[in-house]
Amino acid sequence: MPICSIERITYGVSDLAASARFYDDFGLKAVSRSDSKVVYRLDEGSKVILLCDDDPSLPTHHYEGSGVREVTYGVDAVDDLEHYAARVGVDRDVRWGEDGQSIHFIGPENIPLALRVWRRKPVLYAPDPVNAPDNVKRLNQHRRWRVRAKPKTINHVVWRVADMHACMEFWRDRLDFRMTDYQVNAGIFVRPEGANQHHTNYFQRAEALPPFTLGFDHVCFGVEDIDEILAGSNYMERRGYTSPLNGVGRHRIASALFCYFDNPAGGMAEYGADTDYLDDQWVPRVWEARFGAFSWTNHILPFLPEEVPWEVSFDKTLLPDGSVPEKFVYPEAAQEEAASHPDEPAIG
């Protein structure tokens, strides 16, 4: 069976207490704590694991500072692990976990990855109906009052990389991921075969956006709706955490609502909601980077002083049935566009 969603993310952190305090405030539920390790479990059964950055069980650090040190995806059975171990092991070492239920390996750009036997649990979401004039969905009933956010899923992980095309090709050719959208000269969105969410990974060209360094960028956690995002944002701001994009917005690519916070565990943590869901009839699109990045933001960002051109087209190299040509070649128009915008910023 194909790879599904993210089973766990494992951090190496310089300040375990501050990192745990952040995720407690962010709304994750801890299931175990010690002086050297904190484990959180979300409703879908996925985990966030915080370890001290010198913990010997962590893969070798490949970037500066605290952050995610391994991303683990779920598969259905040990047979799947054997299948992917053979494909990944063609040109790199594959290590089996002591319990025989996982494999560990290093992907492109020295990104540590793992696969583990895991069955994701469905989560219960029931967003409040939305009223509009003459289209009343909520009669004699007010919306729920929220105090804070309580994420239930891990939606995606973002890496800042030197060669986003090489990353996409590895995830596609070895792990059966599909490209879902392409930001010209900025980033590539991919999802595994067994997931319908728009993306579980985004490979961001490191030169596209500050801090212009290689390594981990952020993790997105799923919440129910915009009310939960804003309640969570208020709760975090009252506790002194900073939002690098100054609040809430909606990406045009994937349609997702977002709110980011700087994370003492490394990079950023994002509240996300209302993303697009896809099947294999989806045709990827080629986006001008800034146009794809933001539909709206509650504060105008400094690199978006004016409306950007509406530039998007279909990518004709991936067919609607999900088949992939032997060699992936980006459209000539996209290549020309990339050459004309070498340094424009984007957010994934």
Side-chain angles (χ1 to χ4, degrees):
M1 295 295 289
I3 294 170
C4 59
S5 50
I6 295 170
E7 187 268 343
R8 69 181 60 185
I9 52 174
T10 304
Y11 282 86
V13 303
S14 60
D15 190 332
L16 186 63
S19 300
R21 185 164 56 252
F22 174 89
Y23 271 127
D24 291 342
D25 290 336
F26 195 74
L28 301 193
K29 181 180 178 181
V31 293
S32 69
R33 296 180 190 268
S34 72
D35 292 339
S36 59
K37 182 178 183 179
V38 181
V39 178
Y40 297 92
R41 181 178 290 119
L42 290 89
D43 287 20
E44 65 178 348
S46 60
K47 295 178 180 178
V48 173
I49 299 175
L50 305 179
L51 295 172
C52 295
D53 55 11
D54 58 355
D55 190 295
S57 69
L58 287 170
T60 301
H61 212 337
H62 71 286
Y63 59 90
E64 294 293 327
S66 298
V68 170
R69 296 279 288 274
E70 187 175 63
V71 176
T72 303
Y73 305 101
V75 298
D76 283 339
V78 173
D79 289 348
D80 302 313
L81 295 180
E82 294 172 348
H83 167 76
Y84 285 111
R87 292 174 62 180
V88 170
V90 169
D91 59 359
R92 63 199 66 223
D93 293 333
V94 176
R95 176 178 62 84
W96 282 80
E98 293 181 1
D99 60 1
Q101 297 293 299
S102 64
I103 58 172
H104 305 258
F105 52 94
I106 303 298
E109 311 259 343
N110 294 314
I111 296 173
L113 302 169
L115 304 178
R116 178 177 294 276
V117 176
W118 176 63
R119 185 63 57 89
R120 181 184 179 276
K121 299 176 183 177
V123 300
L124 177 62
Y125 276 132
D128 289 326
V130 175
N131 280 341
D134 301 318
N135 187 7
V136 177
K137 303 297 185 182
R138 201 179 64 254
L139 181 64
N140 296 330
Q141 179 183 358
H142 60 68
R143 295 182 69 85
R144 278 173 292 170
W145 301 344
R146 299 180 185 273
V147 174
R148 59 183 301 188
K150 294 292 183 72
K152 295 183 179 180
T153 62
I154 299 174
N155 287 1
H156 64 254
V157 175
V158 173
W159 296 98
R160 300 187 301 271
V161 299
D163 190 339
M164 61 188 185
H165 304 283
C167 290
M168 189 281 298
E169 289 168 359
F170 178 87
W171 264 256
R172 180 198 68 196
D173 296 342
R174 306 297 182 88
L175 303 176
D176 296 320
F177 278 57
R178 286 92 187 279
M179 187 184 84
T180 54
D181 277 308
Y182 171 52
Q183 269 179 297
V184 174
N185 210 34
I188 301 175
F189 299 83
V190 299
R191 66 178 176 89
E193 186 180 358
N196 295 111
Q197 187 169 261
H198 180 274
H199 61 284
T200 58
N201 283 84
Y202 177 65
F203 306 116
Q204 177 181 296
R205 178 173 168 264
E207 293 88 349
L209 195 73
F212 308 115
T213 56
L214 301 175
F216 168 66
D217 189 82
H218 74 265
V219 177
C220 177
F221 296 88
V223 299
E224 192 165 59
D225 56 17
I226 192 168
D227 296 83
E228 189 172 8
I229 286 181
L230 285 165
S233 175
N234 290 167
Y235 189 90
M236 294 293 284
E237 287 184 27
R238 290 186 183 111
R239 278 148 188 80
Y241 300 107
T242 56
S243 175
L245 295 185
N246 294 317
V248 177
R250 188 183 287 274
H251 296 303
R252 187 169 276 112
I253 297 177
S255 305
L257 294 161
F258 65 80
C259 182
Y260 300 86
F261 282 95
D262 291 316
N263 187 350
M268 298 176 289
E270 176 189 3
Y271 292 129
D274 194 24
T275 190
D276 293 331
Y277 283 78
L278 319 174
D279 63 17
D280 288 340
Q281 300 304 305
W282 177 257
V283 179
R285 299 156 299 179
V286 178
W287 297 84
E288 192 278 334
R290 294 170 302 164
F291 177 64
F294 302 102
S295 179
W296 57 263
T297 57
N298 68 324
H299 293 283
I300 299 298
L301 300 173
F303 49 83
L304 293 173
E306 299 176 355
E307 289 286 342
V308 296
W310 286 42
E311 295 181 23
V312 60
S313 61
F314 287 110
D315 171 26
K316 299 179 177 60
T317 60
L318 292 181
L319 303 180
D321 63 1
S323 60
V324 180
E326 186 172 357
K327 176 63 178 174
F328 190 95
V329 179
Y330 291 108
E332 290 183 6
Q335 296 175 7
E336 293 170 2
E337 187 71 12
S340 66
H341 300 278
D343 298 310
E344 289 184 348
I347 284 279

